[in-house]
Structures are given as C-alpha cells and as structure tokens.
C-alpha cells in the first residue's frame, strides 16, 4: 500500500497540517521530514487538498528516475530548450506556463531520491521565487546538496513528522475499522507498529486476513500471534536492505537477544560491523541509567530476521548468546534469567537449580507463562519439590488451580527436608484457598506453622495464613496472622514485601484507606529491591491502592492505578480484574458506557476459571443495569455470581450489582432487600469500604420504608467514624439530608466537585422532589433543570432518582409499575410481582399513561431511555 489514497482516516496530524499550510501561504514552502512510512506523503496531499487557488505540479523522486536528468519532472517538461537557454530557466518556464494565471505550487515526494538536475531545479524554484514548494524527505537518508540546502540555508521551513502516538493510533484504527477498538488491542498495535502508519496498515491487514483481528462483543480485538504477510515481510525487508555476513550476524544476535548489552555484542562480533548496522538505523543504543543496551530499530525487524533463520541457525545464535553471558559472570539477576531462557530455547543443558531460580525471576517480573515453562523444565531436569511447589503457585495464578493441586498431591511424599516441607505446604495451602477450600487450606497452613522451626519459614507460614483469611473474609484474623509473622525475627525481603502487601490490602478493604495508602506507597517506593523475590506483592499492592483510593473518593488516582494494573499481564497474575476498579471510577463519574468498555477490555483476556473474573463480570452487570439493558444484565449477573462465589470480597461485588439489576427490572422492593443483604454481608466480613457503598445505595434507591432509610443514615454516621477519608462523611450527610432540599443541594455540590456526577445528578433530582413535596414549585423547577443538566452528563443512565426526575407527575406505585411495563412485563406479571390484582395493575398503568401523555409500553420505554 502507498502512504496515500489508502482510504484510512487522516487523524492526529492537526498541528503539522496547520504548519504546512501556514508555511506555504506565508513563505516559500516547507520540507516535511520523517522516517519511511510515517505519513509524510499523506500529510502533503491533505495539506494541498485544502488550499484552493494554487496550480499544483507533482513530482516523485525514484531510484529509476534518478538516472535521468530532470527525471522526476519528465512528465511535465516537453520539447527541447531553445538554443542557448539555461536549462534551469527552461524547466522553470515550462512549469510556470502550466500555472498560467494561477500561483504555481510544486510538490515533490521523496526529494532525497531526486536526480541532480531535478534537485537543482527545485532549489532554483525556491530561491528565485518562481514557485512555492512542498518537499518530503526521509530522515537519516543522504540528500542531494541542493535539497539539503533548502533547509540548511533556511529557504524552507522544516517539519519533522513523528510516528503516531498511542492515542492517535487508536483514532486511526477506529476510523479504519469502522468501530470501537479495545484498549489492549490499541496498545498492542501501537507497540508493534511503533506508530508507523504504513506498518500499522499492513499489520491490520495481516490480522484481518488471519482472523487475529476481529470484532468480538462490539469491539475490535487482537488475539494470537502476529502473522507476517508476504507484503509486510517485503516492506520490512526492503527497509533492512542488503546485509553482509557480519552485519547479518549482528542483526540476528540482537533480534534473538534484545535488549543486548553493547559489550556483550562486541565480544561476539566485529565492532565495525556493529557500527555499520547502527549507522543504518537497524539497531539503536538505549541507556537505561545503569547500562547501555542495543535494540532493534523497529519491532518488525525482529519478526523478519527471526523468521529468516532456520531451526539450527536459531539454536546456534542462542547458544552463542548464552555462552557469552555466562562467560561474563552473570553479574545481574536478569542475566541469570536470560541465560536460562537462551539455554532452554537452544536445547542445551541447564542445571535444575538454575532453572528454578530463573522461574522465580520470571514470575517476579510478572511473566507467569515463562515461569511455568521454566518450572516444568526444572522438574524434568530433577529439581524436585522446589520446582513442583513453584509450578503449583504459578499454575494457580494462571487460573488452573485444579492442575496445580493434582501436581502437588503427587509430590507429597518427596517433601523431606524442612525447606521442601515449607515450600510444599505454602503452595498447597494457597492453592486450596484460591480454589475455595478454606477449611483444608487453613489446616495445611496451621500444620506448617506448628511443625516448622526455621524463622524464615515461620514468617511465610503466617503470611500465607493471612492470605487465606482474606479470601474467606476474616480481615481481623488476617491482621493477627500478619502481626504474628513479624514476631520471628527480622523479616526476609520476600516475607516483608508479601506481608506489607497484605497489610495494605486488609487496611484498604476494612476501610482504613489512609493506612493502606501509606503502606502501599512506602513499600512501592522500594519496588526494585523486592520485586524479584515477591511475585504476589506488586499486583496485591496495586489492588489495595485502587480500593483505598476508591473508598476515599480519590477517583483520578484510582483510575491511574487501575490502568497501571491493567498494563501488567493482569489476567495472568495473582491479582487481576483491575478493570472492575477502573469501571467503578467511570460509573461514579457518570460514564457508565465507559465502565462497560473497561470491563470488556479485561474480560477479553481473563482465563475462564480466574476467580477475579467474578468482580469484573459483576461490574459489567452493574453497568448494563444502569444503562437499562436488563436482560443482558441478568445473564451477566448469573455468571458473575457463580464466578465470584469463592471469596467474600468478590462475592460482595456480585451482591451489590444484583441490587441494581433488580432496580432496573422495576423491582424496587427486591432491590432494597438485596441491598440490605449486601450490607449485612459486607459488615459480617469486615468489608467496611463496601459496606459504605451498600448503605448509601439504600439512599439512592429511595428506600420506601422510612425505618430502612433511618437505619441507613445511622449506620453511615457510625461508619464515618471508622472509615477513613472524606467520602464516608459525604455519604452520611446525603443520608441525613433526604427530604431537606437545601441540604441536598449542598451535598450535590460536593458530589459534583469530587467528580461523582451520577451521585450529583441523583441528589439534585431528590432536591427537586423535596421542593415539590413542600409545594415550592419555582424552586422545584430550578432544581429539576440543574438535575437534567447533570443527568445529561451521565448519558444513558437510568436509576430510580432519575426516573422520578422524568416522571414527577406519577405516584411511587405508578412509577414502579411504569418501570416494570417498560422492562417488558405484562399486566399479569406486574400484578404477580407486586401482589396486586391484574385489574389494579392495569388501572395504575393507564393512569400513568394519561399523566405522561403516552399510549403504550414502547413509548414509556422511549421516555425512560431519553434520560
């Protein structure tokens, strides 16, 4: 494909587009420089297309035409020059005559390939003022002297066109594919293409052809490995160009080993060959602050280079890398991991203890798939219980606890030494807890704590016991276990990181948000010192941070932390489902459609047996319910309830989603009952942050029984004393303000300032209702107008307070019946649901129709959908 005329949307280039047009209008023209494929030609075409009044002459520099004088302009130059006429004057005269009375604008693509005569002509046109000129050149390529002089002598402005940013890649993909593209897919394609438009287009075409890129659940998603089409391979191969044997070896070593230390590569090949490859931009030096690495100039170079190596050549290159790295002394921990992987991939032997150590490092670097592979290789090499225990924990986080338990039970008799018994017990115990077998998990871990003698193992035994307590919803018990773990002398790096992560988690979910934030932020500041030793800790810290930030009302911070968690391979970690936190933030902000998108991104990559799947499904059901998609919400809620049933805190998400599914179904009495059940569950399991939201949901639902509302206000007031941050107090004030329009207005203002637009809209709608109840119509209309404005910032959302805003003429019973009718229930079904006669239900419905000025259920549905 060429860079222009592709039919792809032209987006993300507003600033350079304006700069090109401005340079043409106000000066001699402009030079657009950039790497091959970034869209220089397309930018020039788009710029000139929006500039009427010019007569445009186009020229193209090519290798073939560069052999012929004026070859780039041969299509517009006719006839020989008059006797003795200067060639440049002759050519310029011909071009000017084409313009006739208009203003001449010459556009030259790939000017770095111009023949000398054409290059001189372009320079003459600019210098003499005969024409305005737009030229494109490839950065880093040698240019004819007259072309280079255009910007060096400041005859033309020069614009460097960078690759597309990640956001711009997303815009291009959405336009090209004609639909929404999942965030993870955007990140993947931006990473693979590095923002190069030409490569991006070819990768997309390859994905469409192979089926890796397809529309799933309303979003375009990429699944599977990158497939290199012949066209894409040729494009990249052309950019790589001819390589001699030494240069080819350099590029292959970097392709298999990147990032590769400069000194290591120099020990394997000629330093001059390395310099030649670097000069061509095929490899680049990257300084990470500690050492200099060499990487490929573009990710697709690696696909082409590795694809061109057969099995034997690949193994030879990997053995070369492993031998060289081991000869260097494996001075850094990542060296041990890389050498082990190269040995494994090359088919050469590696010691079992080396493979176990490498597997631990891979897991610490949040790569459980590689950790599983190395652990299995270690077991095959004779690693024993240490390898089996490690494999068990890795399989657990990969969503395969059943296989992990089966593997562990087979190795029980081999656990002889204390180290073996400790590692075996910890892996077995955590897998049992993960699988929901709480009693057996506690029995295994308690037995380990009684029989182990070494402080290093006793510390971890109590940390793992705390994890089991957290899963079961015993946060006080978890805190006791963590405190006990610190009584066995100074903590090891591993035990300290895992203990701190669980202390932050317990604090956050029990409502002590400030304490949880302090622990997490303090420990995360020293991440590099413990991340290799404590694979569970990083995602656990991020989860604790998200929870603490949401429960304390720090929505912006919670969004950033959740997105950080989603950028990890979160679906394959010991804690995942960060989209639930991110969706919660969007929902509170009133962007419920956005919440749905975040859930879809995570669900597309989570294992089916992943326990954290439940909380993401629950948030998805919650969002669907608020958007009025009740049938789909019920289906997703059923999945969520099944997936979330193992653990108390994931079960809490499903219980709170059930409240809003019932409300969307028009069953307000059922929603209140479910809300009370969710609150009791949260209180029983010490999930006080969740309890705060559950109690407040009673206020949002407009609990029909006054005693429920009064109890909610009292419990929220009491809770505000034990849950950190400003949010508990604000929710408590909302509960106490019900019926008091002035107080409701103040609370709504606080909600709006904190970014909680949905709550602000609902509270303002309650203010309008309170004024109506007092007979203060003017104030009611003012509040109603403000409520509508806030509701419009929460598009598509329907809640009881917003339904009342749209139907103020109705009684509560009529409103309830209208919602059930809009949900598709027949009169008989409504009567059965509300314990009424069918005639009474029909009469209420007809009275509601009369007040609303509608005739049937379809029109009612449209009215509610217009919120």
């Amino acid at each position: 494909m060429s860079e222009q005329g592709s039919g792809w949307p032209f987006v993300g280039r507003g600033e350079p587009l304006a700069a090109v047009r401005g340079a043409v209008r106000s000066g001699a023209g402009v030079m657009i420089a950039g790497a091959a494929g970034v869209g220089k030609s397309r930018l020039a075409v788009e710029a000139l297309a929006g500039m009427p009044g010019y007569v445009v002459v186009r020229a193209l520099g090519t290798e073939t035409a560069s052999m012929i004088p004026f070859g780039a302009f041969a299509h517009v130059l006719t006839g020989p020059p008059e006797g003795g006429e200067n060639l440049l004057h002759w050519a310029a005269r011909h071009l000017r005559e084409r313009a006739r009375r208009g203003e001449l604008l010459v556009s030259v693509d790939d000017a770095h390939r111009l023949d000398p005569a054409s290059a001189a002509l372009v320079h003459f046109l600019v210098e003499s003022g005969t024409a305005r000129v737009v030229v494109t050149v490839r950065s880093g390529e040698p240019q004819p002297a007259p072309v280079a002089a255009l910007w060096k002598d400041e005859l033309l402005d020069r614009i460097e066109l960078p690759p597309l940013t990640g956001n711009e890649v997303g815009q291009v993909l959405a336009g090209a594919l004609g639909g929404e593209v999942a965030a993870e897919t955007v990140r993947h394609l931006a990473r693979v293409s590095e923002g190069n438009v030409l490569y991006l287009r070819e990768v997309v075409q390859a994905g469409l052809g192979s089926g890796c890129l397809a529309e799933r659940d309303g979003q375009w998603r990429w699944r599977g490995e990158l497939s290199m089409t012949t066209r894409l391979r040729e494009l990249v191969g052309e950019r790589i160009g001819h390589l001699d044997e030494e240069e080819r070896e350099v590029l292959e070593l970097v392709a298999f080993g990147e990032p590769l230390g400069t000194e290591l590569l120099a020990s394997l090949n000629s330093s001059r060959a390395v310099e030649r490859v670097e000069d061509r931009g095929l490899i680049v030096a990257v300084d990470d602050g500690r050492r200099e690495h060499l990487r490929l100039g573009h990710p697709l170079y690696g696909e082409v280079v590795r694809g061109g190596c057969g099995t034997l050549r690949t193994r030879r290159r990997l053995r070369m890398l492993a031998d060289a790295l081991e000869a260097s002394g494996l001075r850094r921990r990542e060296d041990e991991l890389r050498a082990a992987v190269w040995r494994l991939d090359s088919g050469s032997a590696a010691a079992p203890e080396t493979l176990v150590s490498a597997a631990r490092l891979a897991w610490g670097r949040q790569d459980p798939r590689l950790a599983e592979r190395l652990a299995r290789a270690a077991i095959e090499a004779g690693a024993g219980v240490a390898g089996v225990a490690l494999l068990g924990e890795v399989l657990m986080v990969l969503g395969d606890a059943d296989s992990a338990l089966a593997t562990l039970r087979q190795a029980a008799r081999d656990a002889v030494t204390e180290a073996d018994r400790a590692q075996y017990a910890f892996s077995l115990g955590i897998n049992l807890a993960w699988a929901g077998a709480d009693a057996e998990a506690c029995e295994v871990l308690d037995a380990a704590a009684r029989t182990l003698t070494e402080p290093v193992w006793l510390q971890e035994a109590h940390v793992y016991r705390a994890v089991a307590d957290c899963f079961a919803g015993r946060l006080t018990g978890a805190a006791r276990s963590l405190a006990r773990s610190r009584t066995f002398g100074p903590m090891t790096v591993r035990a300290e990181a895992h203990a701190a992560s669980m202390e932050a988690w317990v604090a956050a979910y029990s409502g002590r948000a400030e304490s949880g934030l302090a622990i997490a932020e303090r420990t995360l500041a020293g991440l590099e010192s413990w991340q290799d030793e404590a694979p569970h800790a990083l995602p656990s810290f991020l989860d604790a941070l998200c929870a603490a930030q949401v429960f304390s009302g720090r929505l912006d911070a919670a969004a950033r932390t959740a997105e950080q968690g989603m950028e990890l391979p979160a679906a394959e970690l010991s804690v995942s489902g960060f989209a639930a936190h991110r969706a919660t933030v969007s929902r509170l902000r009133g962007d419920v459609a956005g919440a749905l998108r975040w859930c879809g991104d995570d669900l597309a990559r989570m294992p089916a047996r992943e326990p954290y799947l439940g909380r993401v499904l629950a948030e998805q059901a919650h969002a669907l319910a608020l958007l009025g998609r009740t049938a789909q919400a019920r289906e997703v809620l059923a999945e969520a309830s099944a997936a979330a049933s193992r653990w108390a805190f994931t079960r809490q998400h499903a219980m709170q989603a059930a409240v809003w599914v019932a409300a969307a179904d028009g069953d307000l009495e059922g929603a209140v009952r479910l809300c009370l059940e969710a609150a009791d569950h949260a209180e029983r399991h010490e999930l006080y942050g969740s309890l705060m939201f559950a109690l407040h949901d009673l206020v949002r639902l407009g609990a029909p029984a006054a005693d429920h509302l009064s109890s909610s206000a009292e419990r929220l007031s009491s809770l505000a004393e034990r849950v950190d941050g400003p949010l508990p107090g604000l929710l408590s004030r909302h509960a106490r303000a019900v019926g008091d329009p002035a107080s409701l207005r103040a609370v709504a203002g606080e909600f709006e300032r904190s970014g909680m637009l949905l709550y602000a809209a609902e509270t303002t709608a309650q203010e309008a209702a309170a004024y109506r109840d007092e007979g203060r119509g003017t104030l009611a209309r003012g509040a109603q107008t403000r409520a509508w404005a806030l509701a419009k910032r929460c598009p598509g959302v329907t809640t009881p307070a917003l339904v009342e805003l749209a139907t103020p003429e109705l009684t509560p019973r009529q409103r309830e019946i209208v919602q059930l009718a809009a949900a598709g229930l027949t009169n008989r079904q409504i009567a059965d649901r509300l314990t009424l006669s069918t005639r009474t239900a029909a009469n209420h419905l007809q009275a509601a129709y009369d007040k609303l000025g509608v005739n049937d259920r379809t029109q009612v549905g449209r009215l509610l959908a217009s919120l």
Side-chain angles (χ1 to χ4, degrees):
M1 293 182 186
S2 65
E3 289 184 16
Q4 61 195 62
S6 66
W8 273 44
F10 183 76
V11 298
R13 299 300 199 190
E15 188 174 334
L17 181 65
V20 170
R21 288 175 176 170
V24 171
R25 290 191 180 107
S26 63
V30 65
M31 175 180 286
I32 305 170
V38 296
K40 303 182 296 296
S41 303
R42 181 73 181 275
L43 174 60
V45 169
E46 294 291 336
L48 299 185
M51 297 183 64
Y54 293 92
V55 176
V56 180
V57 173
R58 302 183 188 278
L60 173 65
T62 65
E63 290 185 12
T64 302
S66 68
M67 309 295 290
I68 307 169
F70 295 113
F73 291 92
H75 61 294
V76 292
L77 297 177
T78 59
E82 297 178 4
E85 185 178 11
N86 180 286
L87 289 177
L88 293 180
H89 285 245
W90 164 77
R93 176 170 56 80
H94 265 275
L95 295 178
R96 191 168 55 249
E97 287 174 355
R98 293 180 67 86
R100 300 181 185 276
R101 294 177 182 159
E103 189 163 2
L104 178 62
L105 195 160
V106 176
S107 175
V108 184
D109 206 11
D110 288 344
H112 53 281
R113 290 177 171 171
L114 289 178
D115 61 275
S118 295
L121 173 60
V122 172
H123 187 278
F124 177 75
L125 292 172
V126 174
E127 190 175 42
S128 65
T130 302
R132 306 198 182 201
V133 173
V134 175
V135 298
T136 70
V137 296
R138 186 176 297 175
S139 299
E141 292 282 339
Q143 299 170 15
V147 173
L150 290 173
W151 66 275
K152 288 184 177 179
D153 295 345
E154 299 183 353
L155 297 175
L156 292 182
D157 292 338
R158 179 181 170 114
I159 294 174
E160 289 288 341
L161 188 64
L164 296 171
T165 66
N167 286 339
E168 290 163 357
V169 167
Q171 294 173 37
V172 170
L173 289 172
L177 296 171
E180 187 177 328
V181 186
E184 178 63 24
T185 296
V186 172
R187 287 193 291 269
H188 169 68
L189 293 175
R191 186 168 54 248
V192 168
S193 68
E194 286 196 342
N196 184 293
V197 182
L198 183 60
Y199 291 161
L200 176 64
R201 189 160 57 244
E202 293 300 331
V203 169
V204 166
Q205 292 296 337
L208 291 171
S210 66
C212 289
L213 182 61
E215 195 169 15
R216 301 175 176 94
D217 300 325
Q219 287 187 317
W220 286 91
R221 301 182 186 278
W222 187 287
R223 290 181 183 171
E225 298 297 320
L226 176 66
S227 56
M228 296 288 290
T229 62
T230 301
R231 165 70 175 162
L232 182 55
R233 192 177 298 280
E234 288 175 351
L235 281 171
V236 178
E238 179 184 345
R239 176 64 188 90
I240 292 173
H242 174 74
L243 301 169
D244 63 29
E245 189 57 38
E246 283 188 330
E247 291 167 345
R248 179 181 177 184
E249 183 175 87
V250 168
L251 203 58
E252 287 175 356
L253 288 169
V254 177
F256 285 112
E258 67 174 336
L260 203 57
T262 305
E263 294 180 3
L264 184 69
L265 182 59
S267 72
L268 291 169
N269 203 292
S270 154
S271 59
R272 289 196 173 186
V274 175
E275 290 172 5
R276 290 198 303 272
V277 176
E278 183 184 20
D279 287 344
R280 292 169 57 178
L282 301 179
I283 60 174
V284 293
V286 179
D287 189 349
D288 67 0
R290 296 178 299 171
R291 62 196 295 195
E292 187 177 74
H293 299 291
L294 291 169
R295 288 186 176 275
L296 294 172
H298 194 281
L300 292 178
Y301 296 168
E303 298 292 334
V304 170
V305 172
R306 289 188 294 269
C309 293
T311 301
L312 296 180
R313 190 181 188 91
T314 297
R315 290 179 176 175
R316 176 156 57 88
R317 293 289 184 240
L318 292 169
R319 281 196 298 272
M320 288 174 64
L321 290 167
D323 290 343
L325 192 57
E326 289 168 354
S328 73
L330 302 178
R331 295 188 296 271
R332 298 169 180 83
R333 297 209 68 188
E334 60 262 30
D335 291 346
E336 182 181 357
L337 172 59
R338 303 184 79 208
V341 173
W342 289 336
R343 285 283 177 219
L344 190 60
D345 289 342
S346 68
S348 51
E353 57 272 15
T354 299
L355 291 168
V356 170
S357 179
R360 292 191 186 282
L361 285 169
W363 192 11
R365 300 299 168 89
Q366 312 303 325
D367 192 346
R369 292 289 179 193
L370 179 57
E372 177 194 8
R373 186 164 167 252
L374 288 164
R376 290 191 185 280
I379 294 169
E380 290 179 8
V385 172
V388 173
L390 178 58
L391 177 62
E393 291 202 39
V394 172
L395 287 174
M396 175 193 76
V397 302
L398 289 172
D400 196 3
D402 293 342
S403 294
L405 288 169
T407 302
L408 284 163
R409 293 190 194 282
Q410 290 175 2
R413 63 181 180 276
D414 299 324
V416 178
T417 67
E418 178 158 279
D420 283 348
R421 289 189 291 109
Q423 293 176 80
Y424 174 81
F426 301 159
S427 187
L428 179 61
I430 197 67
N431 266 285
L432 288 166
W434 189 272
D438 177 54
E440 190 178 355
C442 292
E443 183 180 337
V444 168
L445 294 170
D446 289 345
R450 288 194 305 271
T451 58
L452 296 173
T453 60
E454 291 291 329
V456 63
W457 301 122
L458 287 168
Q459 290 172 358
E460 292 207 47
H462 289 284
V463 171
Y464 276 94
R465 182 62 163 82
V467 175
D469 284 332
C470 285
F471 287 167
R474 298 185 294 268
L475 300 195
T476 297
R480 281 198 299 266
S481 294
L482 292 168
R484 178 69 173 150
S485 73
R486 295 186 177 279
T487 64
F488 298 99
M491 300 281 276
T492 65
V493 171
R494 173 184 167 89
E496 174 62 42
H498 280 151
S501 73
M502 294 314 300
E503 286 165 348
W505 199 96
V506 169
Y509 279 86
S510 62
R512 293 180 290 110
E514 301 302 325
S515 176
L517 288 169
I519 296 169
E521 290 169 355
R522 180 176 66 246
T523 315
L524 284 171
L527 174 64
E528 289 189 2
S529 66
W530 54 259
Q531 66 173 340
D532 290 341
E533 300 288 341
H536 288 297
L538 176 59
S540 296
F541 272 125
L542 293 178
D543 187 69
L545 269 176
C546 282
Q549 288 159 345
V550 168
F551 293 147
S552 61
R554 295 173 168 90
L555 299 189
D556 290 343
R560 288 192 298 271
T561 303
E563 289 172 33
Q564 183 183 351
M566 291 182 73
E567 288 173 2
L568 297 171
E572 299 176 346
L573 296 177
S574 49
V575 171
S576 62
F578 285 98
H581 291 300
R582 185 62 184 84
T584 297
V585 172
S586 292
R587 172 167 53 79
L588 293 172
R589 287 172 170 168
D591 180 16
V592 180
L596 210 54
R597 286 193 297 273
W598 285 110
C599 292
D601 285 347
D602 234 14
L603 291 171
R605 59 189 184 136
M606 292 181 76
R609 289 182 287 179
E610 161 65 68
Y612 283 90
L613 177 70
R615 72 177 179 183
V616 182
L617 285 169
E619 191 61 46
Q620 185 183 43
H622 196 150
L624 288 166
L626 292 180
L627 292 172
R629 294 160 61 177
T630 52
Q632 192 177 356
R634 284 194 296 271
E635 291 177 7
V636 175
L637 178 63
E639 295 179 51
S641 300
S645 62
R646 296 185 195 176
W647 305 336
F649 69 95
T650 54
R651 193 159 58 246
Q652 184 69 33
H653 281 269
M655 295 182 75
Q656 290 183 220
V659 171
W660 293 96
V661 173
D665 239 347
D667 184 8
L668 288 184
E669 290 183 3
V672 168
R673 175 177 47 77
L674 290 169
C675 201
L676 292 169
E677 290 176 6
D680 290 344
H681 180 272
E683 189 162 29
R684 187 166 62 254
H685 291 291
E686 305 169 277
L687 300 169
Y688 296 118
S690 297
L691 174 61
M692 171 182 67
F693 281 116
L695 292 173
H696 183 249
D697 280 351
L698 284 170
V699 181
R700 296 173 59 212
L701 288 168
D707 55 339
H708 289 332
L709 195 55
S710 174
S711 173
S712 173
E714 290 177 7
R715 293 172 73 181
L716 277 169
S717 295
S718 174
L719 198 61
E721 299 174 4
R722 66 184 303 169
V723 176
D724 295 344
L727 188 54
L730 177 55
L731 300 187
S732 175
R733 288 195 295 280
H734 184 196
R736 295 196 303 272
V738 172
D740 179 351
S743 297
L744 285 168
R745 181 167 187 175
V747 169
E750 290 187 63
F751 279 138
E752 185 175 4
R753 286 189 292 275
S754 68
M756 303 174 75
L757 293 182
L758 177 56
Y759 287 9
E762 292 175 326
T763 307
T764 307
Q766 291 174 340
E767 176 197 348
Y771 276 128
R772 280 196 303 274
D773 290 344
E774 293 179 358
R776 303 165 74 179
T778 301
L779 292 173
R781 285 190 292 275
Q784 188 170 1
T785 299
R786 283 184 278 106
W788 273 116
L790 287 164
K792 291 301 181 185
R793 296 166 67 185
C794 308
V797 178
T798 303
T799 68
L802 299 184
V803 169
E804 184 174 359
L805 179 67
T807 57
E809 308 89 345
L810 304 186
T811 66
R813 175 60 86 184
Q814 288 170 343
R815 195 172 292 118
E816 188 173 18
I817 289 174
V818 161
Q819 280 190 268
L820 292 172
L825 274 68
T826 65
N827 289 354
R828 178 175 290 282
Q829 289 171 325
I830 293 172
D832 291 343
R833 173 78 65 85
L834 301 180
T835 321
L836 302 171
S837 70
T838 303
R839 179 180 293 276
T840 300
N843 289 339
H844 276 303
L845 188 57
Q846 187 57 54
Y849 286 169
D850 293 341
K851 289 180 179 179
L852 296 174
V854 298
N855 297 316
D856 55 32
R857 285 169 166 77
T858 302
Q859 292 179 343
V860 168
R862 288 177 187 153
L863 175 66
L864 298 184
S866 68
L867 287 174

